[in-house]
């Protein structure tokens, strides 16, 4: 099924489920199957929030050393608060890999990215990371235990099942 068609079916089933919920009826079967079919593996952003907090502390220290009082101190504090807010936002928004029957999805560059099984060249499993290489593109998705705290062992087992079901090459390093 094409991706746009799947999204349209999912959107329409959500609308119908909302209408059925208002009427006091059970939801239709299609929406429950699509949500249960995917396994989600969540990580945690740690490195970038720590860097942003460090930058915020550095700007705070530079701002306190400034000899001219009242000259841009509000903007200095605003910058510091925004650094901390961005660090908190990145820390609490957890990255993920969702494995469905015939596609993978993740959150990259502020939007959800999908990758169908036909578009995957190979999956490389190593002790501390999982690498998914795209066909024909130089892009790859890297899920690391060191940087994003993914449970790569469990992800690797599920991706092996995904690869065997969809005839994708698996490499172990």
């Amino acid at each position: 099924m094409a991706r746009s068609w799947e999204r349209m079916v999912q959107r329409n089933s959500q609308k119908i489920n909302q209408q059925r919920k208002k009427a006091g009826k059970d939801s239709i079967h299609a929406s429950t199957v699509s949500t249960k079919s995917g396994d989600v593996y969540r990580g945690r952003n740690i490195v970038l929030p720590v860097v942003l907090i460090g930058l915020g502390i550095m700007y705070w220290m530079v701002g306190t050393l400034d000899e001219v009082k009242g000259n841009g101190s509000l903007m200095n504090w605003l910058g510091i608060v925004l650094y901390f807010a961005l660090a908190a936002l990145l820390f609490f928004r957890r990255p993920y890999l969702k494995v469905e029957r015939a596609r993978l999805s993740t959150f990259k560059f502020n939007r959800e990215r999908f990758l169908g099984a036909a578009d995957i060249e190979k999956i490389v499993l190593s002790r501390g990371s999982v690498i998914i290489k795209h066909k024909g593109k130089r892009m790859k998705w890297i899920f690391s235990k060191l940087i994003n705290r993914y449970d790569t062992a469990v992800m690797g087992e599920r991706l092996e099942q995904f690869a065997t079901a969809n005839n994708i090459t698996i490499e172990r390093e």
Side-chain angles (χ1 to χ4, degrees), residues 7 26 29 31-32 35 71 85 90 94 106 112 118 120 133 143 152 168:
R7 284 188 299 224
D26 292 335
H29 182 68
S31 67
T32 57
T35 57
N71 189 13
L90 291 176
R94 299 176 69 180
T106 187
E112 190 168 16
I120 298 173
K133 293 188 177 181
F143 302 94
T152 54
I168 298 171

Side-chain angles (χ1 to χ4, degrees), residues 48-64 75-87:
L48 192 56
V50 167
V51 169
L52 289 171
I53 287 174
L55 284 173
I57 290 172
M58 187 182 77
Y59 285 132
W60 171 71
M61 291 174 66
V62 169
T64 56
M75 293 305 290
N76 188 28
W77 281 108
L78 182 65
I80 292 167
V81 168
L82 289 176
Y83 269 102
F84 287 135
L86 184 61

Side-chain angles (χ1 to χ4, degrees), residues 2-3 12 27 35 57 61 63 73 82 85 97 103 116 159 163 167:
R3 255 187 1 200
N12 289 336
S27 62
T35 57
I57 290 172
M61 291 174 66
S73 64
L82 289 176
L97 171 68
R103 73 177 184 177
L159 285 173
N167 297 325

Side-chain angles (χ1 to χ4, degrees), residues 4-41:
S4 62
W5 177 259
E6 274 186 37
R7 284 188 299 224
M8 188 175 75
V9 168
Q10 196 170 20
R11 255 185 271 136
N12 289 336
S13 62
Q14 285 176 347
K15 278 183 188 176
I16 290 173
N17 281 337
Q18 288 175 349
Q19 291 171 355
R20 291 178 64 97
K21 188 176 179 181
K22 285 180 184 176
K25 298 178 182 175
D26 292 335
S27 62
I28 57 174
H29 182 68
S31 67
T32 57
V33 168
S34 66
T35 57
K36 289 183 179 178
S37 65
D39 294 327
V40 178
Y41 301 97

Side-chain angles (χ1 to χ4, degrees), residues 42-135:
R42 294 192 179 271
R44 175 69 74 184
N45 279 331
I46 294 176
V47 175
L48 192 56
V50 167
V51 169
L52 289 171
I53 287 174
L55 284 173
I57 290 172
M58 187 182 77
Y59 285 132
W60 171 71
M61 291 174 66
V62 169
T64 56
L65 295 176
D66 190 14
E67 294 180 9
V68 180
K69 296 289 178 187
N71 189 13
S73 64
L74 177 66
M75 293 305 290
N76 188 28
W77 281 108
L78 182 65
I80 292 167
V81 168
L82 289 176
Y83 269 102
F84 287 135
L86 184 61
L89 176 78
L90 291 176
F91 182 76
F92 291 116
R93 191 181 69 193
R94 299 176 69 180
Y96 67 90
L97 171 68
K98 185 174 183 180
V99 182
E100 296 177 54
R101 183 176 47 88
R103 73 177 184 177
L104 304 174
S105 61
T106 187
F107 197 78
K108 289 196 177 283
F109 303 115
N110 244 359
R111 68 179 235 206
E112 190 168 16
R113 307 282 176 154
F114 297 98
L115 186 62
D119 299 330
I120 298 173
E121 181 181 336
K122 64 181 174 181
I123 298 172
V124 180
L125 303 175
S126 65
R127 203 172 100 193
S129 66
V130 172
I131 301 170
I132 300 167
K133 293 188 177 181
H134 300 202
K135 267 185 188 169

